[in-house]
Amino acid sequence: MRAIVSIFVIVVVVAIIAVATGFVNLHGTTGSLPQVSVQGGALPAVKADVGSIDVGTKNTSVDVPKVDVGTVEKKVEVPTVAVHKPN
């Protein structure tokens, strides 16, 4: 594994030296984006038949129960917790 990595590093270093000294010249052409043209269009037409909704209010008599809520004070025993720091 170490030998493969060493050979790869040597090949990369030799390639860098070859390009830097001019022994290898890399030439290329610049690319360009493709030409795109867009023609106008139309949105799709949608027709929908929907029902109608009427919202309003009316007065009606409704039986509502009467609830009386009260409180009574009682004495009960509840647990307590005390935390003391060490000295």
Side-chain angles (χ1 to χ4, degrees):
M1 180 69 181
R2 184 179 280 188
I4 294 172
V5 172
S6 299
I7 292 171
F8 179 72
V9 169
I10 291 170
V11 169
V12 169
V13 169
V14 168
I16 291 172
I17 291 172
V19 170
T21 59
F23 186 72
V24 175
N25 288 327
L26 301 174
H27 297 285
T29 59
T30 60
S32 64
L33 295 175
Q35 298 297 322
V36 178
S37 65
V38 178
Q39 299 295 327
L43 293 175
V46 177
K47 292 183 179 180
D49 293 329
V50 295
S52 63
I53 298 174
D54 293 328
V55 179
T57 60
K58 68 177 184 176
N59 292 328
T60 305
S61 296
V62 179
D63 291 333
V64 179
K66 182 179 178 183
V67 179
D68 185 20
V69 179
T71 59
V72 178
E73 187 174 325
K74 283 186 168 182
K75 292 193 177 196
V76 293
E77 187 175 330
V78 294
T80 59
V81 176
V83 178
H84 302 285
K85 292 184 180 180
N87 292 334

